[in-house]
């Protein structure tokens, strides 16, 4: 079904990592010849093997090896996946590093026979989703991610690339099978009955109502069409808070294996949607009302701020383009369309995480079923409000107002 596996391909394991590391001249700047290497497999995502590797004598000398498996790890070998996604990820990381090195892990090399990328080990950082679950605030995140989004999206769009490069880049980043996963899991399955959906039974009434709502499904279909047809920029394609490594001073976007030329709003919306998933989860995760309000203010301020940074940094690009054919009115309309797409696509990303195959710990990790239902119900209501009202949203403050005006429908009345 996909290109045949390279004959040199072997999934690494605890025994083979060290030999592999020593066989790579690109890692001589990190590891001394023949020295003892330690490693641990830490992949907790849905798709790949991820090894943290370090020198036994000096753990500060360390890299990460990320290797594609030819099937979906989450499900097993009944769901084959193309290993070409590893090339896409490595090439996307290189572009992101060129455009925004402060928020992209450094790539040491890509091995096209092993479908493996060696990259910087972000060992002073944690996965942002886990931090948000604990109620940790990241004050620099909005500035960092706003910059990352503006630079990676604007500088890979037709606003900057010349006519030929853009088309060649679209071809180089054609990523059909991973796009199909998104088309199915984000834009199709949550809105119909399928065996792959994984919502918990208590919220079934709300899920069934949503799936029966033709006006909602019409809006989702429009978002799906845009995802499939609008080759606006090289997007990360999976920029949820599990793809962000963070601490109080640094932010890195990792895992762009879903990268392709798609709508900017899919990336901006992924970040915003995931912040609102956190917002919904703290309805029950944080019991003290003052602490909850304070953390939620941090989340909504972050949404507003990241958009403002995105607009500000995007402005640097508008300042460079041919203004005769792209007057102020066009620029304003362009940014408004990205904002409205972000609302609609972020909403779809929220609904898929509550209803679909691959959930998120923010919601699904809530142990008490009653609490989990409250958070899930609120997340669905926020998502529904965002997608249904997106055309009326004209500012980021209005987007936040739409979301914060929502309440959970669970426990059901009557
Ligand atoms: C079946 S793969 C499930 C999800 O994991 C990735 O992180 C993407 O979000 C994908 O949709
Ligand atoms: Mg990932």
């Amino acid at each position: 079904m996909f290109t045949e596996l390279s004959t040199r391909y072997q999934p690494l394991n605890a025994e083979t990592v060290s030999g592999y590391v020593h066989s790579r001249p690109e890692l001589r700047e990190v590891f001394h010849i023949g020295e003892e290497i330690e490693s641990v497999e830490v992949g907790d995502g849905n798709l790949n093997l991820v090894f943290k590797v370090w020198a036994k004598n000096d753990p500060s000398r360390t890299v990460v090896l990320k290797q594609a498996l030819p099937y979906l790890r989450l499900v097993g070998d009944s769901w084959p996946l193309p290993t070409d996604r590893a090339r896409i990820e490595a090439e996307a990381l290189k572009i992101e590093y060129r455009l925004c090195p402060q928020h992209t892990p450094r790539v040491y090399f890509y091995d096209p026979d092993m479908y493996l990328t060696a990259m910087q080990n972000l060992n002073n950082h944690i996965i942002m989703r886990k931090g948000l679950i604990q109620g940790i605030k990241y004050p620099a995140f909005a500035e960092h991610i706003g910059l990352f989004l503006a630079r990676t999206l604007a500088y890979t769009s037709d606003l900057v690339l010349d006519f030929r490069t853009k088309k060649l880049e679209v071809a180089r980043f054609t990523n059909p099978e991973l796009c199909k996963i998104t088309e199915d899991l984000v834009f199709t399955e949550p809105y119909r009955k399928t065996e792959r959906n994984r919502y918990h039974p208590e919220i079934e009434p709300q899920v069934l109502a949503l799936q029966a709502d033709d006006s909602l499904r019409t809006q989702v279909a429009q978002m799906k069409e845009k995802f499939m047809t609008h080759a606006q920029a090289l997007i990360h394609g999976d920029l949820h808070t599990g793809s962000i490594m963070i601490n109080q001073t640094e932010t890195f976007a990792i895992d762009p294996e879903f990268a392709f030329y798609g709508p900017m709003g899919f990336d901006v919306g992924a970040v915003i949607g995931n912040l609102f998933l956190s917002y919904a989860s703290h309805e029950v995760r944080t019991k003290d009302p003052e602490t909850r309000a304070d953390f939620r203010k941090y989340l909504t301020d972050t949404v507003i701020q990241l958009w403002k940074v995105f607009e500000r940094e995007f402005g640097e690009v508008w300042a460079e383009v041919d203004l005769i054919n792209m007057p102020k009115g066009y620029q304003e309309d362009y940014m408004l369309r990205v904002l409205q797409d972000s609302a609609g696509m972020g909403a779809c990303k929220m609904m898929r995480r509550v209803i679909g195959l691959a959930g998120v710990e923010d919601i699904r990790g809530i142990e008490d079923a009653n609490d989990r239902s409250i958070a899930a119900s609120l997340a669905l209501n926020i998502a529904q409000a965002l997608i249904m009202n997106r055309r009326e949203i004209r500012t980021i403050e209005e987007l936040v107002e739409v979301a914060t005006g929502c309440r959970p429908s669970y426990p059901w009345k009557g």
Side-chain angles (χ1 to χ4, degrees), residues 178-296:
L178 272 73
C179 284
K180 177 77 166 99
I181 289 179
T182 304
E183 289 152 24
D184 290 345
L185 296 191
V186 178
F187 294 110
T188 306
E189 295 179 3
Y191 321 98
R192 63 156 77 140
K193 192 170 163 50
T194 83
E195 283 182 1
R196 292 210 302 223
N197 284 337
R198 290 277 185 281
Y199 57 84
H200 59 280
E202 287 81 358
I203 58 153
E204 179 142 66
Q206 193 168 348
V207 173
L208 294 182
L210 184 149
Q211 291 177 340
D213 182 345
D214 267 358
S215 59
L216 173 88
R217 295 187 323 119
T218 300
Q219 300 303 316
V220 172
Q222 289 172 3
M223 293 292 94
K224 180 177 177 181
E225 179 196 313
K226 194 158 224 179
F227 177 81
M228 295 176 76
T229 61
H230 195 35
Q232 194 176 22
L234 178 63
I235 67 171
H236 176 287
D238 200 23
L239 198 52
H240 55 88
T241 47
S243 296
I244 290 164
M245 299 294 291
I246 198 159
N247 62 28
Q248 289 300 299
T249 54
E250 290 185 315
T251 305
F252 288 88
I254 61 167
D255 276 8
E257 65 205 305
F258 284 77
F260 79 113
Y261 270 76
M264 296 179 181
F266 192 75
D267 274 2
V268 181
V271 178
I272 292 176
N274 275 269
L275 292 172
F276 280 123
L277 282 171
S278 176
Y279 178 99
S281 77
H282 283 282
E283 178 81 9
V284 293
R285 281 187 178 277
T286 302
K287 301 289 182 205
D288 173 56
E290 259 180 48
T291 315
R292 184 194 313 137
D294 179 62
F295 191 64
R296 282 180 156 175

Side-chain angles (χ1 to χ4, degrees), residues 219-397:
Q219 300 303 316
V220 172
Q222 289 172 3
M223 293 292 94
K224 180 177 177 181
E225 179 196 313
K226 194 158 224 179
F227 177 81
M228 295 176 76
T229 61
H230 195 35
Q232 194 176 22
L234 178 63
I235 67 171
H236 176 287
D238 200 23
L239 198 52
H240 55 88
T241 47
S243 296
I244 290 164
M245 299 294 291
I246 198 159
N247 62 28
Q248 289 300 299
T249 54
E250 290 185 315
T251 305
F252 288 88
I254 61 167
D255 276 8
E257 65 205 305
F258 284 77
F260 79 113
Y261 270 76
M264 296 179 181
F266 192 75
D267 274 2
V268 181
V271 178
I272 292 176
N274 275 269
L275 292 172
F276 280 123
L277 282 171
S278 176
Y279 178 99
S281 77
H282 283 282
E283 178 81 9
V284 293
R285 281 187 178 277
T286 302
K287 301 289 182 205
D288 173 56
E290 259 180 48
T291 315
R292 184 194 313 137
D294 179 62
F295 191 64
R296 282 180 156 175
K297 179 158 175 5
Y298 159 72
L299 292 171
T300 53
D301 283 352
T302 299
V303 170
I304 292 171
Q305 181 67 11
L306 79 85
W307 176 262
K308 290 193 184 296
V309 174
F310 176 72
E311 263 188 329
R312 183 191 76 208
E313 295 297 325
F314 215 103
E316 302 286 316
V317 178
W318 289 121
E320 291 169 18
V321 302
D322 175 0
L323 292 179
I324 297 174
N325 286 328
M326 290 191 256
K328 204 85 199 132
Y330 173 78
Q331 296 176 23
E332 284 167 6
D333 180 61
Y334 190 105
M335 298 309 287
L336 180 60
R337 281 184 283 123
V338 175
L339 178 67
Q340 294 177 347
D341 287 354
S342 304
M345 296 195 180
C348 296
K349 304 274 279 182
M350 292 180 74
M351 291 186 277
R352 64 78 59 106
R353 293 300 188 191
V354 176
I355 302 172
L357 174 68
V360 285
E361 198 187 334
D362 314 52
I363 307 284
R364 292 201 182 160
I366 299 169
E367 276 180 23
D368 178 80
N370 194 51
D371 278 356
R372 190 165 64 242
S373 305
I374 293 170
S377 170
L378 176 56
L380 290 179
N381 282 342
I382 292 174
Q384 205 158 350
L386 286 175
I387 194 168
M388 297 309 291
N389 293 297
R390 73 183 195 285
R391 290 216 176 80
E392 282 73 55
I393 292 173
R394 301 197 67 81
T395 65
I396 189 66
E397 288 84 1

